[in-house]
Amino acid sequence: MLRVGVHVSISGGIYRSFDRAKELDCNCFQIFSHSPRSWKFNLPGNDDSEIFVEKSNKMDIEPLVIHGSYLVNLATPKEGLRERSIESTQKEIELSNEVGIDYVNIHPGAHTGIGEKQGLNNVVSSINEIQGLDNTELLIENTSGSGTKVGYTFEQIEELIERVDADIGVTLDTCHAYTAGYDLATKEGLEKTIENIEETVGIDKIKLIHLNDSKNPLNSTKDHHEHIGLGEIGVSGMERIINHPKLREIPFILETPVDETRGDKENIEVVKKIRN
Ligand SMILES: [Zn+2]
Ligand SMILES: [Zn+2]
């Protein structure tokens, strides 16, 4: 069964995400629990949380995902930033446990000069300080590898999965993978990438796919998402990803632009059209 959704706003109350998802014909969705460019965290009131849970029980919309704050950096050598990042992720997990959100998606972070090895060590020890990962699963999203970001190879993500105490999963972002050097645009490239995933993290650890086309070419390490089929991965690349026997049952969440070319609804329609 095709599970496809987009990132929706919680403006006006966290529960309103369900109505927005439904309006867009989504049967899963992702939200920010607060402004992703601010540390300020306003937890929803009890009433809002209750309505959220009610709607969640009534509607066939799952999984539900929180995308962590852009400020979070679990790989950082700066102690203050590391503590804030752990605290912020901890709050996302607590909120998720409270209202039944399935996954909290995070970028592993940037080492900012201390080297990848130490950066990955920091991610491991940071995640190990987070409590409550039994009900809500933490997902590590692969990155495009720009700057000093870690987590741009499946080998690095495998290392994180193996070393942290909790059971964590992976989000495969197709734009990030592509610009990090995994050629998802070609048939051979997709097969090779899936083989690489199987040899490292394992396909069963991929709990979510961020389905994004890419404005930038292979290996560019740039992170600019494009409408489905209109970027470097292209229509046939997207078609192969969406229909691949090893990927098709994984939920797809789009983080595509909203502009004069297309909005979320149109991108969702494209996905449904090219799904076999
Ligand atoms: Zn993503
Ligand atoms: Zn991205």
Side-chain angles (χ1 to χ4, degrees), residues 141 173 176 212 223 225 255:
E141 177 173 357
D173 186 303
H176 301 175
N212 301 309
D223 181 12
H225 302 179
E255 301 172 314

Side-chain angles (χ1 to χ4, degrees), residues 30 67 70 105 107 141-142 171-176 208-212 223 225 253-255:
Q30 174 174 282
H67 192 300
Y70 292 137
N105 175 89
H107 298 176
E141 177 173 357
N142 65 302
T171 298
L172 169 64
D173 186 303
T174 54
C175 168
H176 301 175
L208 179 67
I209 293 174
H210 278 166
L211 191 72
N212 301 309
D223 181 12
H225 302 179
I253 287 183
L254 283 61
E255 301 172 314

Side-chain angles (χ1 to χ4, degrees), residues 215-236:
K215 280 197 206 297
N216 296 103
L218 186 69
N219 270 316
S220 60
T221 74
K222 291 214 171 76
D223 181 12
H224 293 130
H225 302 179
E226 183 55 286
H227 298 293
I228 303 300
L230 301 186
E232 297 279 330
I233 299 176
V235 179
S236 46

Side-chain angles (χ1 to χ4, degrees), residues 130-150:
I130 298 167
Q131 313 286 317
L133 297 178
D134 299 329
N135 296 317
T136 299
E137 194 171 340
L138 197 64
L139 302 184
I140 304 280
E141 177 173 357
N142 65 302
T143 63
S144 57
S146 64
T148 62
K149 284 185 189 138
V150 294

